[in-house]
Amino acid sequence: MEKKMRFGIKSKIIIGYLIVIVCLFIAFIVLNSQISSLQKERNFIIDHDIEVHDLTNRIEKHLLDMETGQRGYIITGEASYLEPYNSAATSWEKDYNALYQLLNNNPNQQEKLEKIKGSIQDWIEAAGEPTIALKKENNTKELQQFFEKDPGRQYMDDIRSQFTSFRNVEKKSTETRATELDEKNQKIKIGLYGLLLFVTLISLAIAIVLSNSIVNTIKEVTQTIKRITASKGELKGRIKVRSNDEIKDLGLATNALLENIEERNWLQTNIAHAVTMYQGIASVDKLAEKFLFTVSEMTQASFGAFYVREENDKGNLFVKQAAFADRKGDAGRESFLIGEGLIGQAALEKRTFVINDVPDTYQLITSGLGDVKPKSIFIVPVLFEDEVIAVIELASLHKFTVLEQELISQVIETFGLTINGVIRRMEIARLLKESQAMTEELQAQSEELQTQSEELQMQSEELRMINEQLEERTKDAEEKSFELEAAKEDLEEKAHQLELNSQYKSEFLANMSHELRTPLNSILILSEMLEENAAKTLSEDEEEYARIIHSSGKDLLALINDILDLSKVESGKLDILLAEMNMSELPDQIERNFSHVAEQKNVQLKINKAQDVPDIIHTDEKRFQQIVKNLLSNAFKFTESGSVTVSIQRVADHRLTTAMRTVDTDCWLEIAVADTGIGIPKEKHQLIFEAFQQADGATVRKYGGTGLGLSICSEFAKLLGGWISLSSEVGKGSTFTLYLPSLSNGLIDYEKVNFAYEEVAVSVEEAEPEAEITEIDHPVQPVESSLQDDENVFQDKRVLIVDDDQRNIFALKTALAKQGMTIMTAHNGIECLEMMENSELFDLILMDIMMPQMDGYEAMQKIRGELKLVDLPIIALTAKAMKNDREKCLEAGASDYISKPLDLNQLFSVMRVWLVN
């Protein structure tokens, strides 16, 4: 802390006068500033207002000159009358501009000036220039007609009225400024009187403060001295002087005297207490502990150790007997030799060490909040008959004062005699205990030998029993080992059976898919052709029958696809292909696919995409689109009125659960599909996500569906690392929310994200009706209209259809023939090869896969291998539609692949590509 500046009585008086002078100086500056401001405002009124009135009069004069010149020229016809007119016409605008700039701080007056300017220009245009022009043309008749009406007089009257109003406003402004100037002048007078009063009060206050500071300080010193005198030996009181002047010097000298007397009294009292405190103690360690505790309390030491001399083979050794503020027994070393360390050196030299510059490696003083390095160390030897019998070391957080050092030095002068007496008494007691202990030890050894004999006999019996128990446990372990081996073989057998069952199930579904798709292919192709009614031979009812057949066939195809997808998911054979997906195109895709559905059902479609949604994410776009389309199809199916809302946003960081943060992902997306439909009861929320389940029978009868859609969507979401949650209320609608991570680093184990169902279930109370994954029905366009541009491509092309099903051959042959193609057919691979070997040339082959005698795989391999027809386009047609079918077809030699039932538009598109190429 900085030393307080000395502030004497003389300095106080001088500073008081200086403060009064400064206050007068400040008052002068303030007053001068106010007078200068008043002078500026007065000059402004004089210069500004006079200039305004002068310019106003000059503009009126110019206008009068123009009117006079105009009338003089019209009356006399003398051109000399036009000189003042022309001069005024030039000058009045300059004066107007100067006046307008002068009033730039008064918008109202500027607005009036603009009106005056307009009136003047109107007079010039309506009365001034036209009449002069008529006079120059000597058109007396029109002049006479003009002056009979005389519109210029009205303009002049308006201008004079406007100037009168303008001058009145300026006059009021001048009066207002003059009034404000008078008010400011009055305020300056009041301020001047106030400043004089303030300076007077400051002067009086300074005089009172200075006199009180001197008188009160003298009174305080006097009162303190009287209290100390009347306290009868109590010297705790001190003279407290707040001022830093000559009186403080007197108080400090008196306090120093009191402190010296108090220190002497403290020293004598503590010495007497230390001498009497260790009487009656019979052991060195108790004596050392008592001494350290008392001395540490007197000197405010925070750490201490007490070493006592002991004799051994190495000579005299100082061993630690007690410690103060010991931390688990590590308060200093346990012993020192003479001359070893500061303890040994103090014993050797028989002198005291005081160290204030403590090194960083010294023992730290421990408290509840941490460890602190001491600031001072005090080492003192204890003498008896001029021999060192003990050494004491103290450490403190403050430096040991001279008074504390003197206290310890005087206490230990007689302490050596006490230590020596205690050591002698302890030696006598030790010898007595040793003799008693030797007697008791002999008796105990005799009893111990008898006890050991009995224990050996008992241990022998225990070992025999333990051996018998080990033999029994070994037999049990062997039996359990045989049982475990049998259970293992049983589990392996069951696992093998499960694998065979799964294989049989997959093969059964593949065969059933083929058997169903083959007739379904003919139904869809022929019903589509009947629906088109290209020959116009069907009635409207028959077209509607064909349309219903075609729609039912597509529904049956969707059901087959759903069952196959569910089977693939359950067997773990569904491929997930991760790639980049453009999220910025998702709203347009939804709008394009479902806007017409919304229009048909008169339901509003809303799409909301947050700004923080990334443009690119990594997922399986096909499965993602399948989930979104299914949720939207459900929403429209179960919503009769109101709206369907799609919300796309990024899951904020504060909403991520602990488990979600463990997933290796760039971000989490939340796609919510909300509708105002029928809603779902709370008890049905979990049921609808199971296969072939819907909310109730009424839902099936009214809305249809198989109950597979949500089950498949849920499984797809799990495979993509996310999940689907549901919130719904009967009669108000449902909200399905898809939570999905961006898997830029590859797929994750679903077990890692299974937490989502448990964590989100607390906040999700309701779910949406079940739905099936179906395509949105679009109005069917005639095949001919969509393929008109391709007639030239298909015309006269030779196409070979290889299929064992006459229904498919008939349907394909009929459809292709309408496009102008020449169709040949074969019922299996053998017939196909025979036709090829007979040198029949074809532009394209449609090859079925599942055929008797020789299937499509073998036929394509022979065409490519044996017949060397590597450039002939072969399009594989299969109804099996299982995993890797496309890859197997392409490896066998197919140019392209289409699964049954066929979409004619898709078939024609693929054929067109290969025929053109």
Side-chain angles (χ1 to χ4, degrees):
M1 183 180 294
E2 296 182 359
K3 186 178 179 181
K4 188 176 179 181
M5 186 180 67
R6 183 176 179 83
F7 198 48
I9 297 174
K10 180 178 179 182
S11 301
K12 293 179 181 178
I13 296 173
I14 293 174
I15 290 176
Y17 282 117
L18 287 176
I19 291 174
V20 173
I21 294 172
V22 169
C23 290
L24 289 174
F25 182 71
I26 293 173
F28 174 76
I29 292 174
V30 172
L31 181 62
N32 183 62
S33 175
Q34 292 293 328
I35 293 173
S36 299
S37 175
L38 190 66
Q39 183 67 28
K40 288 179 182 179
E41 291 185 3
R42 185 186 68 84
N43 293 339
F44 177 80
I45 293 173
I46 294 173
D47 297 338
H48 177 272
D49 293 0
I50 292 176
E51 182 68 16
V52 169
H53 288 293
D54 180 55
L55 289 173
T56 303
N57 293 332
R58 285 164 60 184
I59 293 172
E60 278 193 292
K61 177 180 178 300
H62 292 317
L63 186 60
L64 182 61
D65 290 343
M66 291 175 65
E67 184 182 22
T68 303
Q70 176 234 18
R71 292 185 178 275
Y73 176 73
I74 291 171
I75 294 172
T76 63
E78 293 290 335
S80 59
Y81 283 100
L82 291 178
E83 292 179 1
Y85 176 87
N86 294 329
S87 176
T90 304
S91 300
W92 79 267
E93 288 190 359
K94 294 181 181 179
D95 292 337
Y96 169 82
N97 292 332
L99 179 60
Y100 191 84
Q101 291 295 327
L102 198 62
L103 296 173
N104 57 2
N105 60 345
N106 193 340
N108 293 330
Q109 289 293 85
Q110 284 184 333
E111 185 177 354
K112 291 183 179 181
L113 271 180
E114 291 174 353
K115 292 180 179 180
I116 293 173
K117 179 180 179 180
S119 299
I120 294 174
Q121 290 175 343
D122 290 342
W123 178 84
I124 293 173
E125 294 174 357
E129 293 296 334
T131 54
I132 292 174
L134 291 173
K135 183 63 178 177
K136 288 181 179 180
E137 295 172 358
N138 201 19
N139 193 340
T140 307
K141 181 178 180 181
E142 290 188 11
L143 276 174
Q144 185 176 358
Q145 292 176 354
F146 178 84
F147 279 105
E148 286 177 356
K149 298 179 181 179
D150 198 8
R153 176 176 297 177
Q154 182 63 37
Y155 285 116
M156 281 297 179
D157 293 341
D158 291 343
I159 292 171
R160 292 187 182 94
S161 174
Q162 289 172 351
F163 268 115
T164 301
S165 174
F166 178 82
R167 276 193 294 267
N168 290 336
V169 172
E170 283 298 318
K171 182 177 180 181
K172 289 181 180 179
S173 298
T174 303
E175 293 174 354
T176 301
R177 294 191 187 97
T179 302
E180 291 176 354
L181 194 63
D182 293 339
E183 291 176 355
K184 287 186 178 181
N185 189 24
Q186 187 65 26
K187 290 179 181 178
I188 290 174
K189 290 181 181 180
I190 296 172
L192 178 61
Y193 293 140
L195 284 174
L196 291 176
L197 178 61
F198 174 74
V199 172
T200 302
L201 294 176
I202 288 294
S203 302
L204 292 175
I206 292 172
I208 293 171
V209 170
L210 289 176
S211 62
N212 286 340
S213 67
I214 297 171
V215 174
N216 292 339
T217 304
I218 295 174
K219 287 181 179 180
E220 186 177 357
V221 172
T222 303
Q223 292 295 329
T224 304
I225 294 174
K226 287 181 179 180
R227 285 196 302 271
I228 294 173
T229 304
S231 63
K232 297 180 180 181
E234 179 63 39
L235 303 177
K236 295 292 183 182
R238 292 292 183 272
I239 299 173
K240 297 180 181 179
V241 180
R242 288 183 292 273
S243 61
N244 193 11
D245 51 17
E246 293 81 356
I247 299 174
K248 182 178 182 180
D249 296 339
L250 175 61
L252 293 177
T254 305
N255 289 338
L257 176 61
L258 293 173
E259 287 176 358
N260 185 266
I261 296 173
E262 186 178 7
E263 288 175 356
R264 292 299 170 187
N265 290 341
W266 178 83
L267 186 61
Q268 296 300 326
T269 301
N270 287 323
I271 291 173
H273 175 67
V275 171
T276 58
M277 63 90 188
Y278 43 75
Q279 294 179 357
I281 299 177
S283 64
V284 173
D285 54 351
K286 295 293 183 182
L287 177 65
E289 289 178 0
K290 187 69 174 177
F291 181 83
L292 281 178
F293 178 79
T294 304
V295 171
S296 298
E297 184 179 7
M298 293 177 180
T299 60
Q300 296 182 352
S302 302
F303 192 74
F306 196 105
Y307 293 88
V308 178
R309 185 184 67 184
E310 295 182 0
E311 295 181 358
N312 60 10
D313 296 339
K314 297 181 180 180
N316 291 331
L317 185 69
F318 286 87
V319 180
K320 184 174 69 173
Q321 294 293 333
F324 178 74
D326 191 1
R327 183 179 64 180
K328 297 182 180 180
D330 60 352
R333 287 174 52 178
E334 292 298 323
S335 62
F336 287 92
L337 294 172
I338 292 181
E340 183 181 8
L342 291 177
I343 297 295
Q345 193 65 28
L348 179 64
E349 297 182 10
K350 301 178 184 179
R351 72 183 182 91
T352 300
F353 289 97
V354 179
I355 303 173
N356 291 325
D357 296 329
V358 181
D360 294 336
T361 57
Y362 188 78
Q363 173 72 49
L364 298 177
I365 298 174
T366 303
S367 68
L369 299 178
D371 297 334
V372 184
K373 188 182 77 172
K375 292 187 177 180
S376 182
I377 301 173
F378 187 37
I379 302 174
V380 55
V382 181
L383 302 178
F384 175 72
E385 294 180 353
D386 202 31
E387 292 291 334
V388 178
I389 62 172
V391 179
I392 301 169
E393 180 178 1
L394 297 174
S396 176
L397 296 176
H398 69 279
K399 293 183 179 180
F400 289 100
T401 64
V402 176
L403 184 63
E404 292 171 345
Q405 296 177 30
E406 185 177 354
L407 170 64
I408 297 174
S409 299
Q410 292 188 19
V411 167
I412 66 172
E413 287 180 356
T414 60
F415 190 55
L417 179 63
T418 303
I419 295 175
N420 185 68
V422 171
I423 293 174
R424 294 300 180 188
R425 289 194 296 272
M426 289 178 63
E427 183 67 19
I428 294 171
R430 183 183 65 79
L431 293 173
L432 179 60
K433 287 183 179 179
E434 285 181 358
S435 63
Q436 293 175 349
M438 290 176 66
T439 303
E440 294 175 354
E441 185 177 354
L442 289 173
Q443 184 179 358
Q445 287 177 354
S446 177
E447 294 175 354
E448 185 178 354
L449 288 173
Q450 185 178 356
T451 303
Q452 288 177 354
S453 177
E454 295 174 354
E455 288 179 351
L456 287 173
Q457 187 177 357
M458 294 175 63
Q459 289 175 359
S460 177
E461 183 66 22
E462 289 177 357
L463 287 173
R464 185 183 63 79
M465 296 176 63
I466 290 172
N467 286 333
E468 293 177 357
Q469 292 176 359
L470 287 175
E471 290 177 358
E472 293 178 359
R473 290 180 180 177
T474 301
K475 293 179 180 179
D476 293 340
E478 290 177 354
E479 292 177 358
K480 290 181 179 179
S481 176
F482 290 135
E483 292 176 359
L484 289 174
E485 186 67 26
K488 179 181 178 183
E489 292 176 357
D490 188 31
L491 288 174
E492 290 177 351
E493 180 64 24
K494 290 182 178 179
H496 180 65
Q497 291 178 359
L498 287 174
E499 185 177 355
L500 288 176
N501 290 338
S502 177
Q503 182 179 352
Y504 295 154
K505 177 183 176 182
S506 298
E507 188 63 28
F508 170 76
L509 288 174
N511 293 332
M512 286 302 297
S513 172
H514 178 269
E515 295 302 325
L516 290 172
R517 288 172 184 263
T518 298
L520 187 59
N521 181 55
S522 302
I523 292 173
L524 289 176
I525 294 176
L526 294 175
S527 63
E528 184 177 0
M529 294 173 61
L530 289 174
E531 182 183 353
E532 292 170 4
N533 195 14
K536 304 299 181 181
T537 59
L538 300 180
S539 65
E540 292 183 0
D541 290 339
E542 289 172 336
E543 286 185 14
E544 183 62 25
Y545 299 155
R547 189 175 298 111
I548 293 173
I549 293 171
H550 187 72
S551 176
S552 300
K554 292 183 68 176
D555 291 341
L556 179 58
L557 175 62
L559 176 59
I560 295 171
N561 291 335
D562 286 348
I563 294 174
L564 288 176
D565 284 343
L566 186 60
S567 175
K568 291 177 184 178
V569 172
E570 290 177 349
S571 62
K573 296 182 179 180
L574 185 70
D575 288 335
I576 297 298
L577 303 177
L578 295 181
E580 291 184 352
M581 177 180 175
N582 192 341
M583 289 299 294
S584 61
E585 297 177 354
L586 183 58
D588 294 335
Q589 293 172 355
I590 295 173
E591 179 73 23
R592 185 166 56 251
N593 291 332
F594 289 94
S595 60
H596 67 285
V597 180
E599 293 175 1
Q600 290 174 1
K601 298 201 68 174
N602 196 23
V603 174
Q604 186 177 6
L605 174 61
K606 302 177 182 177
I607 303 174
N608 302 318
K609 179 173 176 290
Q611 295 294 328
D612 59 353
V613 174
D615 292 336
I616 301 296
I617 67 169
H618 293 79
T619 189
D620 188 328
E621 183 173 0
K622 177 182 177 182
R623 304 305 175 191
F624 177 86
Q625 293 282 6
Q626 198 169 352
I627 295 172
V628 173
K629 288 180 180 179
N630 174 261
L631 296 179
L632 281 167
S633 299
N634 286 348
F636 282 108
K637 178 164 61 173
F638 296 106
T639 302
E640 301 295 339
S641 62
S643 63
V644 173
T645 303
V646 182
S647 301
I648 307 168
Q649 61 183 353
R650 181 172 183 164
V651 180
D653 291 341
H654 69 273
R655 293 179 55 200
L656 295 177
T657 63
T658 302
M660 290 172 73
R661 297 178 190 275
T662 62
V663 178
D664 187 9
T665 178
D666 300 334
C667 65
W668 281 85
L669 294 183
E670 177 182 327
I671 299 94
V673 179
D675 62 61
T676 58
I678 61 175
I680 303 172
K682 186 174 182 180
E683 62 273 11
K684 302 290 185 179
H685 285 191
Q686 294 299 326
L687 177 66
I688 64 172
F689 285 98
E690 299 178 6
F692 302 104
Q693 295 292 335
Q694 293 196 1
D696 53 41
T699 302
V700 178
R701 291 191 298 271
K702 181 175 180 180
Y703 298 100
T706 63
L708 287 176
L710 279 180
S711 176
I712 296 173
C713 284
S714 178
E715 295 299 328
F716 283 173
K718 293 176 184 178
L719 292 175
L720 296 178
W723 71 93
I724 297 175
S725 66
L726 172 60
S727 173
S728 180
E729 185 175 350
V730 177
K732 293 187 178 180
S734 305
T735 300
F736 282 87
T737 305
L738 171 63
Y739 293 91
L740 205 64
S742 176
L743 302 176
S744 58
N745 297 322
L747 285 174
I748 60 174
D749 187 354
Y750 174 68
E751 296 298 328
K752 296 181 180 179
V753 294
N754 192 36
F755 62 84
Y757 291 98
E758 299 176 0
E759 293 182 356
V760 178
V762 177
S763 59
V764 178
E765 297 181 352
E766 298 183 354
E768 202 175 3
E770 77 291 338
E772 55 183 315
I773 302 178
T774 58
E775 297 182 358
I776 302 301
D777 291 332
H778 296 281
V780 178
Q781 299 295 331
V783 176
E784 288 81 6
S785 62
S786 62
L787 300 175
Q788 287 177 355
D789 297 335
D790 304 324
E791 291 181 353
N792 294 333
V793 176
F794 297 143
Q795 190 68 36
D796 298 329
K797 298 296 183 183
R798 290 173 57 82
V799 177
L800 175 61
I801 301 175
V802 185
D803 199 321
D804 62 329
D805 193 303
Q806 289 294 338
R807 297 168 296 184
N808 285 339
I809 292 176
F810 174 74
L812 284 172
K813 187 174 181 179
T814 304
L816 299 181
K818 289 184 177 183
Q819 304 301 319
M821 289 179 271
T822 302
I823 309 301
M824 301 294 290
T825 62
H827 295 90
N828 53 51
I830 295 176
E831 291 186 15
C832 172
L833 293 176
E834 290 175 352
M835 296 176 69
M836 302 292 293
E837 289 172 354
N838 292 332
S839 300
E840 292 197 34
L841 300 178
F842 299 100
D843 296 300
L844 184 139
I845 298 177
L846 298 179
M847 179 73 70
D848 187 24
I849 299 299
M850 303 296 291
M851 294 182 295
Q853 297 183 9
M854 181 184 291
D855 61 15
Y857 295 128
E858 186 178 355
M860 289 188 292
Q861 290 173 351
K862 290 183 178 294
I863 292 173
R864 300 301 191 197
E866 296 179 3
L867 302 182
K868 307 298 183 182
L869 298 175
V870 295
D871 296 328
L872 177 63
I874 302 176
I875 299 176
L877 308 177
T878 179
K880 199 171 183 181
M882 292 303 289
K883 180 181 178 182
N884 299 328
D885 278 355
R886 177 181 179 85
E887 288 74 12
K888 289 173 63 177
C889 291
L890 296 179
E891 289 176 2
S895 304
D896 213 327
Y897 167 92
I898 300 177
S899 63
K900 296 179 182 178
L902 301 178
D903 186 326
L904 287 180
N905 288 332
Q906 180 186 12
L907 176 62
F908 291 149
S909 176
V910 174
M911 292 177 63
R912 181 177 67 253
V913 170
W914 288 104
L915 289 173
V916 171
N917 292 336

